[in-house]
Protein backbone atom coordinates (compact mmCIF):
# COMPACT_ATOMS: atom_id res chain seq x y z
CA UNK A 1 0.00 0.00 0.00
CA UNK A 2 1.44 3.34 -1.08
CA UNK A 3 -0.63 6.34 -0.09
CA UNK A 4 -3.47 4.72 1.84
CA UNK A 5 -7.15 5.52 1.53
CA UNK A 6 -7.34 9.29 2.06
CA UNK A 7 -5.50 12.53 1.36
CA UNK A 8 -4.13 12.52 4.91
CA UNK A 9 -2.23 9.29 4.29
CA UNK A 10 -0.90 10.17 0.84
CA UNK A 11 2.72 10.93 0.04
CA UNK A 12 4.18 14.07 -1.54
CA UNK A 13 7.13 13.21 -3.78
CA UNK A 14 9.29 15.80 -5.50
CA UNK A 15 11.66 14.42 -8.14
CA UNK A 16 14.62 16.75 -8.57
CA UNK A 17 17.58 16.98 -10.91
CA UNK A 18 20.67 18.98 -9.98
CA UNK A 19 21.42 19.69 -13.64
CA UNK A 20 25.11 18.79 -13.22
CA UNK A 21 25.04 15.90 -15.68
CA UNK A 22 23.85 15.60 -19.25
CA UNK A 23 23.61 11.83 -18.97
CA UNK A 24 20.45 9.83 -19.48
CA UNK A 25 19.38 9.13 -15.89
CA UNK A 26 15.89 7.81 -15.35
CA UNK A 27 13.81 8.99 -12.42
CA UNK A 28 10.75 7.47 -10.77
CA UNK A 29 8.29 9.03 -8.38
CA UNK A 30 6.85 5.64 -7.35
CA UNK A 31 8.33 2.41 -8.72
CA UNK A 32 7.20 -1.15 -7.94
CA UNK A 33 8.64 -4.42 -9.21
CA UNK A 34 7.07 -7.88 -8.76
CA UNK A 35 4.36 -6.45 -6.54
CA UNK A 36 0.82 -7.82 -6.69
CA UNK A 37 -2.50 -6.56 -5.29
CA UNK A 38 -1.22 -3.00 -5.08
CA UNK A 39 -2.97 0.10 -3.84
CA UNK A 40 -1.27 3.31 -5.01
CA UNK A 41 -3.56 6.18 -4.09
CA UNK A 42 -3.70 9.78 -2.89
CA UNK A 43 -0.10 10.67 -3.77
CA UNK A 44 1.26 13.92 -5.24
CA UNK A 45 4.28 13.65 -7.57
CA UNK A 46 6.02 16.66 -9.09
CA UNK A 47 9.39 16.96 -10.83
CA UNK A 48 9.26 20.68 -11.50
CA UNK A 49 9.20 23.34 -8.78
CA UNK A 50 10.52 26.19 -10.90
CA UNK A 51 14.11 26.64 -9.71
CA UNK A 52 15.56 23.21 -10.53
CA UNK A 53 16.86 21.96 -13.86
CA UNK A 54 14.57 19.36 -15.38
CA UNK A 55 16.01 15.90 -15.70
CA UNK A 56 17.70 15.05 -19.01
CA UNK A 57 16.66 11.39 -18.85
CA UNK A 58 13.30 9.64 -18.74
CA UNK A 59 10.84 10.49 -15.97
CA UNK A 60 8.06 8.24 -14.70
CA UNK A 61 5.45 9.44 -12.24
CA UNK A 62 4.15 5.98 -11.24
CA UNK A 63 5.74 2.88 -12.76
CA UNK A 64 4.58 -0.67 -11.99
CA UNK A 65 6.36 -3.66 -13.49
CA UNK A 66 5.15 -7.23 -13.05
CA UNK A 67 6.48 -10.60 -14.15
CA UNK A 68 3.66 -12.95 -15.20
CA UNK A 69 6.22 -15.62 -16.14
CA UNK A 70 7.72 -15.63 -12.65
CA UNK A 71 8.87 -19.09 -11.59
CA UNK A 72 7.59 -20.69 -9.45
CA UNK A 73 4.14 -19.52 -10.47
CA UNK A 74 2.31 -17.28 -8.03
CA UNK A 75 -0.70 -18.71 -6.26
CA UNK A 76 -2.43 -15.36 -5.71
CA UNK A 77 -4.17 -15.12 -9.08
CA UNK A 78 -6.30 -13.30 -9.96
CA UNK A 79 -4.74 -10.15 -8.56
CA UNK A 80 -6.09 -6.60 -8.43
CA UNK A 81 -4.09 -3.38 -8.64
CA UNK A 82 -5.65 0.00 -7.90
CA UNK A 83 -4.00 3.30 -8.91
CA UNK A 84 -6.39 5.98 -7.74
CA UNK A 85 -6.65 9.68 -6.98
CA UNK A 86 -3.00 10.61 -7.59
CA UNK A 87 -1.71 13.93 -8.95
CA UNK A 88 1.29 13.66 -11.29
CA UNK A 89 3.05 16.69 -12.84
CA UNK A 90 6.06 16.02 -15.09
CA UNK A 91 8.20 18.37 -17.17
CA UNK A 92 11.15 16.79 -18.99
CA UNK A 93 13.99 18.28 -21.01
CA UNK A 94 13.54 15.97 -24.01
CA UNK A 95 17.32 15.80 -24.44
CA UNK A 96 17.69 12.04 -23.91
CA UNK A 97 15.45 8.99 -24.09
CA UNK A 98 11.70 9.10 -24.24
CA UNK A 99 9.36 11.73 -22.94
CA UNK A 100 7.41 11.80 -19.67
CA UNK A 101 5.24 8.87 -18.59
CA UNK A 102 2.62 9.81 -16.02
CA UNK A 103 1.36 6.34 -15.02
CA UNK A 104 2.72 3.19 -16.68
CA UNK A 105 1.76 -0.39 -15.77
CA UNK A 106 3.43 -3.11 -17.81
CA UNK A 107 4.48 -6.73 -17.85
CA UNK A 108 8.17 -7.45 -18.23
CA UNK A 109 7.86 -10.20 -20.85
CA UNK A 110 5.49 -8.91 -23.52
CA UNK A 111 3.06 -11.61 -24.56
CA UNK A 112 3.79 -13.98 -21.66
CA UNK A 113 0.44 -14.30 -19.94
CA UNK A 114 -1.36 -16.09 -17.16
CA UNK A 115 -4.47 -18.18 -17.63
CA UNK A 116 -6.56 -16.09 -15.22
CA UNK A 117 -7.74 -12.55 -15.91
CA UNK A 118 -6.23 -9.99 -13.54
CA UNK A 119 -7.71 -6.52 -12.96
CA UNK A 120 -5.89 -3.21 -13.14
CA UNK A 121 -7.93 -0.11 -12.25
CA UNK A 122 -6.59 3.40 -12.93
CA UNK A 123 -9.13 5.98 -11.80
CA UNK A 124 -9.56 9.62 -10.82
CA UNK A 125 -5.93 10.62 -11.39
CA UNK A 126 -4.76 14.03 -12.63
CA UNK A 127 -1.82 13.89 -15.05
CA UNK A 128 0.02 16.99 -16.33
CA UNK A 129 2.80 16.52 -18.91
CA UNK A 130 5.14 18.65 -20.98
CA UNK A 131 8.54 18.53 -22.67
CA UNK A 132 11.09 21.19 -23.54
CA UNK A 133 12.52 19.61 -26.71
CA UNK A 134 11.20 17.44 -29.53
CA UNK A 135 13.77 14.66 -29.69
CA UNK A 136 11.78 12.11 -27.70
CA UNK A 137 10.12 8.99 -29.01
CA UNK A 138 7.24 8.35 -26.59
CA UNK A 139 5.23 10.45 -24.15
CA UNK A 140 2.32 8.81 -22.31
CA UNK A 141 -0.24 10.08 -19.83
CA UNK A 142 -1.61 6.68 -18.73
CA UNK A 143 -0.37 3.42 -20.23
CA UNK A 144 -1.34 -0.19 -19.38
CA UNK A 145 0.38 -3.05 -21.17
CA UNK A 146 -0.85 -6.34 -19.77
CA UNK A 147 -2.10 -8.84 -22.33
CA UNK A 148 -4.23 -11.10 -20.16
CA UNK A 149 -5.71 -8.38 -18.00
CA UNK A 150 -8.93 -6.50 -17.60
CA UNK A 151 -8.01 -2.81 -17.72
CA UNK A 152 -10.40 -0.30 -16.16
CA UNK A 153 -9.44 3.33 -16.82
CA UNK A 154 -11.99 5.87 -15.68
CA UNK A 155 -12.41 9.42 -14.41
CA UNK A 156 -8.85 10.53 -15.20
CA UNK A 157 -7.71 13.92 -16.52
CA UNK A 158 -4.65 14.20 -18.78
CA UNK A 159 -3.47 17.67 -19.81
CA UNK A 160 -0.41 19.66 -20.79
CA UNK A 161 1.38 21.12 -17.80
CA UNK A 162 -0.05 24.66 -17.41
CA UNK A 163 2.26 27.54 -18.26
CA UNK A 164 4.57 25.48 -20.48
CA UNK A 165 5.25 25.27 -24.20
CA UNK A 166 5.46 21.63 -25.20
CA UNK A 167 7.93 20.67 -27.90
CA UNK A 168 6.90 17.03 -27.71
CA UNK A 169 7.36 15.13 -30.95
CA UNK A 170 7.29 11.53 -32.07
CA UNK A 171 4.44 9.60 -30.47
CA UNK A 172 2.27 11.13 -27.77
CA UNK A 173 -0.66 9.31 -26.14
CA UNK A 174 -3.08 10.50 -23.51
CA UNK A 175 -4.27 6.97 -22.71
CA UNK A 176 -3.01 3.76 -24.32
CA UNK A 177 -3.77 0.14 -23.46
CA UNK A 178 -2.64 -3.23 -24.78
CA UNK A 179 -4.81 -5.94 -23.29
CA UNK A 180 -7.54 -8.49 -24.02
CA UNK A 181 -10.27 -6.71 -22.11
CA UNK A 182 -10.82 -3.13 -21.09
CA UNK A 183 -13.22 -0.32 -20.30
CA UNK A 184 -12.07 3.27 -20.85
CA UNK A 185 -14.76 5.68 -19.74
CA UNK A 186 -15.40 9.20 -18.46
CA UNK A 187 -11.80 10.39 -18.99
CA UNK A 188 -10.71 13.80 -20.29
CA UNK A 189 -7.67 14.38 -22.52
CA UNK A 190 -7.37 18.07 -23.27
CA UNK A 191 -5.37 21.28 -23.78
CA UNK A 192 -2.19 20.14 -25.56
CA UNK A 193 -0.47 22.78 -27.71
CA UNK A 194 2.33 20.90 -29.43
CA UNK A 195 5.36 22.51 -31.04
CA UNK A 196 7.30 19.45 -32.16
CA UNK A 197 8.51 19.22 -35.75
CA UNK A 198 6.34 16.18 -36.54
CA UNK A 199 4.57 13.32 -34.86
CA UNK A 200 1.23 11.81 -33.93
CA UNK A 201 -0.97 12.58 -30.94
CA UNK A 202 -3.43 9.88 -29.91
CA UNK A 203 -5.92 10.86 -27.26
CA UNK A 204 -7.12 7.33 -26.48
CA UNK A 205 -5.51 4.32 -28.14
CA UNK A 206 -6.23 0.60 -27.96
CA UNK A 207 -4.03 -2.08 -29.53
CA UNK A 208 -6.43 -4.60 -31.01
CA UNK A 209 -3.92 -7.28 -31.96
CA UNK A 210 -4.47 -8.69 -28.48
CA UNK A 211 -7.99 -7.45 -27.74
CA UNK A 212 -11.12 -9.53 -27.29
CA UNK A 213 -13.41 -6.78 -26.04
CA UNK A 214 -12.68 -3.08 -25.48
CA UNK A 215 -15.18 -0.34 -24.70
CA UNK A 216 -14.41 3.40 -25.05
CA UNK A 217 -17.36 5.34 -23.70
CA UNK A 218 -18.22 8.80 -22.41
CA UNK A 219 -14.74 10.31 -22.83
CA UNK A 220 -13.83 13.82 -23.94
CA UNK A 221 -10.83 14.64 -26.15
CA UNK A 222 -10.54 18.34 -26.91
CA UNK A 223 -8.26 21.29 -27.42
CA UNK A 224 -5.38 19.47 -29.18
CA UNK A 225 -3.30 21.49 -31.64
CA UNK A 226 0.00 21.39 -33.51
CA UNK A 227 1.23 24.97 -33.41
CA UNK A 228 4.52 25.53 -35.21
CA UNK A 229 5.54 25.61 -38.84
CA UNK A 230 9.31 25.18 -38.72
CA UNK A 231 9.19 21.70 -40.26
CA UNK A 232 7.46 20.10 -43.21
CA UNK A 233 6.81 16.93 -41.22
CA UNK A 234 3.27 15.64 -40.83
CA UNK A 235 1.51 16.47 -37.60
CA UNK A 236 -1.29 14.00 -36.98
CA UNK A 237 -4.06 13.72 -34.40
CA UNK A 238 -6.10 10.57 -33.76
CA UNK A 239 -8.48 11.48 -30.97
CA UNK A 240 -9.67 7.88 -30.47
CA UNK A 241 -7.84 5.09 -32.28
CA UNK A 242 -7.61 1.34 -32.51
CA UNK A 243 -4.39 0.25 -34.12
CA UNK A 244 -1.88 -2.54 -34.42
CA UNK A 245 1.62 -2.95 -35.76
CA UNK A 246 1.10 -6.65 -36.45
CA UNK A 247 -1.59 -8.77 -38.06
CA UNK A 248 -4.58 -9.07 -35.77
CA UNK A 249 -5.12 -12.76 -35.00
CA UNK A 250 -8.03 -12.13 -32.61
CA UNK A 251 -11.59 -11.37 -33.55
CA UNK A 252 -12.05 -8.22 -31.52
CA UNK A 253 -15.11 -6.29 -30.47
CA UNK A 254 -14.37 -2.58 -30.17
CA UNK A 255 -17.20 -0.35 -28.92
CA UNK A 256 -16.79 3.44 -29.17
CA UNK A 257 -19.89 5.28 -27.98
CA UNK A 258 -21.04 8.58 -26.50
CA UNK A 259 -17.65 10.30 -26.71
CA UNK A 260 -17.06 14.01 -27.42
CA UNK A 261 -14.15 14.96 -29.69
CA UNK A 262 -13.76 18.64 -30.56
CA UNK A 263 -11.42 21.54 -31.26
CA UNK A 264 -8.55 19.74 -33.00
CA UNK A 265 -6.13 21.54 -35.32
CA UNK A 266 -2.86 21.07 -37.16
CA UNK A 267 -0.54 23.65 -38.70
CA UNK A 268 0.56 21.93 -41.88
CA UNK A 269 0.11 18.60 -43.60
CA UNK A 270 -1.12 15.65 -41.61
CA UNK A 271 -4.29 13.82 -40.73
CA UNK A 272 -6.87 14.63 -38.09
CA UNK A 273 -9.37 11.93 -37.23
CA UNK A 274 -12.03 11.95 -34.56
CA UNK A 275 -12.06 8.15 -34.64
CA UNK A 276 -9.37 6.22 -36.53
CA UNK A 277 -9.34 2.47 -37.06
CA UNK A 278 -6.44 0.77 -38.80
CA UNK A 279 -7.16 -2.72 -37.52
CA UNK A 280 -8.69 -5.73 -39.17
CA UNK A 281 -10.77 -8.66 -37.88
CA UNK A 282 -13.80 -8.32 -35.64
CA UNK A 283 -16.77 -6.10 -34.92
CA UNK A 284 -16.42 -2.33 -34.56
CA UNK A 285 -19.30 -0.27 -33.18
CA UNK A 286 -19.22 3.54 -33.46
CA UNK A 287 -22.40 5.10 -32.10
CA UNK A 288 -23.65 8.40 -30.73
CA UNK A 289 -20.31 10.21 -30.76
CA UNK A 290 -19.98 13.97 -31.27
CA UNK A 291 -17.05 14.89 -33.55
CA UNK A 292 -16.69 18.53 -34.52
CA UNK A 293 -14.56 21.64 -35.06
CA UNK A 294 -11.45 20.25 -36.77
CA UNK A 295 -9.46 22.96 -38.54
CA UNK A 296 -6.15 24.45 -39.68
CA UNK A 297 -4.32 26.15 -36.81
CA UNK A 298 -4.51 29.96 -37.25
CA UNK A 299 -1.51 31.14 -39.27
CA UNK A 300 -0.89 27.64 -40.55
CA UNK A 301 -0.22 26.60 -44.13
CA UNK A 302 -3.04 24.07 -44.38
CA UNK A 303 -3.04 20.89 -46.44
CA UNK A 304 -4.26 18.49 -43.78
CA UNK A 305 -6.80 15.70 -44.19
CA UNK A 306 -9.73 16.11 -41.78
CA UNK A 307 -11.84 13.07 -40.97
CA UNK A 308 -14.74 12.44 -38.63
CA UNK A 309 -14.48 8.63 -38.69
CA UNK A 310 -11.61 7.09 -40.67
CA UNK A 311 -11.46 3.34 -41.32
CA UNK A 312 -8.52 1.83 -43.15
CA UNK A 313 -6.37 -1.30 -42.96
CA UNK A 314 -7.00 -4.78 -44.28
CA UNK A 315 -9.04 -7.76 -43.22
CA UNK A 316 -12.71 -8.46 -42.69
CA UNK A 317 -14.58 -6.37 -40.15
CA UNK A 318 -18.22 -5.79 -39.38
CA UNK A 319 -18.97 -2.12 -38.75
CA UNK A 320 -21.91 -0.48 -37.08
CA UNK A 321 -21.83 3.30 -37.55
CA UNK A 322 -24.94 5.13 -36.37
CA UNK A 323 -26.22 8.13 -34.46
CA UNK A 324 -22.96 10.10 -34.70
CA UNK A 325 -22.85 13.89 -35.13
CA UNK A 326 -19.97 15.05 -37.38
CA UNK A 327 -19.71 18.70 -38.42
CA UNK A 328 -17.55 21.83 -38.78
CA UNK A 329 -14.47 20.34 -40.48
CA UNK A 330 -12.60 23.25 -42.11
CA UNK A 331 -9.33 23.22 -44.03
CA UNK A 332 -8.11 26.70 -45.00
CA UNK A 333 -5.70 28.25 -47.52
CA UNK A 334 -3.02 28.65 -48.75
CA UNK A 335 -2.84 24.85 -49.16
CA UNK A 336 -6.26 23.25 -49.32
CA UNK A 337 -6.56 19.90 -47.62
CA UNK A 338 -9.25 17.24 -47.79
CA UNK A 339 -12.37 16.72 -45.71
Amino acid sequence: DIGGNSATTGNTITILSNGLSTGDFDQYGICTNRQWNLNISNNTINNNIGSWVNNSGEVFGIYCRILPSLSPALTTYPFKTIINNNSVSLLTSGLSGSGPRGILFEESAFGVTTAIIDTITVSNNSIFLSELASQSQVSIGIGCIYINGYININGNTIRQLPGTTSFSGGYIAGITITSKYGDIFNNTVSNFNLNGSSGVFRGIRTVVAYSDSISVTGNTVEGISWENGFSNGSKNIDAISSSTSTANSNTSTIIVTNNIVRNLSTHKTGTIAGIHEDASLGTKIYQNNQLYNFYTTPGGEGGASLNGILVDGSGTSAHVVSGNQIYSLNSTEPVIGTV
Side-chain angles (χ1 to χ4, degrees):
D1 186 290
I2 303 174
N5 296 314
S6 71
T8 59
T9 57
N11 302 284
T12 298
I13 301 166
T14 303
I15 316 171
L16 298 176
S17 170
N18 60 20
L20 297 178
S21 173
T22 58
D24 183 3
F25 296 101
D26 297 342
Q27 294 182 336
Y28 303 84
I30 294 172
C31 180
T32 68
N33 189 26
R34 293 189 178 186
Q35 301 297 309
W36 312 81
N37 294 314
L38 280 165
N39 173 52
I40 302 175
S41 299
N42 305 300
N43 302 287
T44 298
I45 300 168
N46 189 348
N47 85 316
N48 179 264
I49 58 173
S51 60
W52 286 75
V53 176
N54 298 290
N55 187 55
S56 60
E58 299 181 21
V59 180
F60 299 77
I62 298 172
Y63 178 64
C64 301
R65 179 174 177 265
I66 61 171
L67 287 82
S69 57
L70 186 66
S71 181
L74 296 177
T75 58
T76 57
Y77 295 117
F79 76 86
K80 295 182 179 181
T81 287
I82 297 172
I83 303 174
N84 174 65
N85 200 36
N86 301 282
S87 176
V88 179
S89 300
L90 301 180
L91 178 62
T92 60
S93 69
L95 297 177
S96 299
S98 290
R101 264 69 64 87
I103 297 173
L104 182 61
F105 184 102
E106 65 178 357
E107 57 182 322
S108 62
F110 192 68
V112 178
T113 63
T114 65
I116 301 175
I117 299 301
D118 305 311
T119 301
I120 298 94
T121 298
V122 183
S123 62
N124 302 314
N125 300 282
S126 297
I127 312 294
F128 299 93
L129 305 173
S130 197
E131 190 169 29
L132 300 177
S134 60
Q135 301 179 36
S136 69
Q137 298 297 313
V138 180
S139 298
I140 294 174
I142 296 173
C144 290
I145 305 171
Y146 188 51
I147 303 306
N148 214 50
Y150 165 65
I151 310 298
N152 180 333
I153 300 180
N154 73 87
N156 302 282
T157 300
I158 300 99
R159 291 177 175 153
Q160 184 170 311
L161 190 65
T164 65
T165 299
S166 180
F167 285 89
S168 296
Y171 169 72
I172 308 113
I175 297 170
T176 180
I177 72 168
T178 302
S179 186
K180 279 191 173 183
Y181 308 99
D183 287 311
I184 305 173
F185 61 98
N186 296 343
N187 302 281
T188 299
V189 180
S190 66
N191 299 340
F192 280 86
N193 298 315
L194 305 169
N195 284 265
S197 58
S198 63
V200 57
F201 183 99
R202 291 189 169 106
I204 298 172
R205 175 180 181 254
T206 64
V207 178
V208 301
Y210 302 97
S211 300
D212 284 349
S213 179
I214 299 290
S215 174
V216 181
T217 303
N219 304 281
T220 299
V221 180
E222 63 181 350
I224 313 300
S225 64
W226 288 96
E227 296 287 347
N228 79 71
F230 64 76
S231 169
N232 291 323
S234 293
K235 303 170 179 66
N236 304 321
I237 300 171
D238 290 339
I240 298 173
S241 73
S242 58
S243 60
T244 178
S245 58
T246 59
N248 182 16
S249 59
N250 286 0
T251 301
S252 306
T253 299
I254 308 296
I255 301 171
V256 181
T257 60
N258 297 305
N259 301 283
I260 297 174
V261 176
R262 59 192 175 195
N263 304 333
L264 312 181
S265 71
T266 188
H267 189 280
K268 284 192 174 183
T269 59
T271 299
I272 294 178
I275 298 170
H276 186 188
E277 174 199 329
D278 65 356
S280 51
L281 302 177
T283 299
K284 314 300 187 300
I285 299 173
Y286 307 125
Q287 291 181 320
N288 302 323
N289 301 284
Q290 298 179 50
L291 315 170
Y292 62 93
N293 201 25
F294 305 169
Y295 58 95
T296 301
T297 305
E301 296 183 12
S305 172
L306 309 181
N307 307 271
I309 299 175
L310 174 62
V311 177
D312 54 24
S314 60
T316 302
S317 296
H319 291 87
V320 178
V321 182
S322 65
N324 302 286
Q325 299 180 48
I326 304 171
Y327 59 94
S328 190
L329 279 59
N330 302 295
S331 181
T332 59
E333 296 181 342
V335 180
I336 301 299
T338 60
V339 175

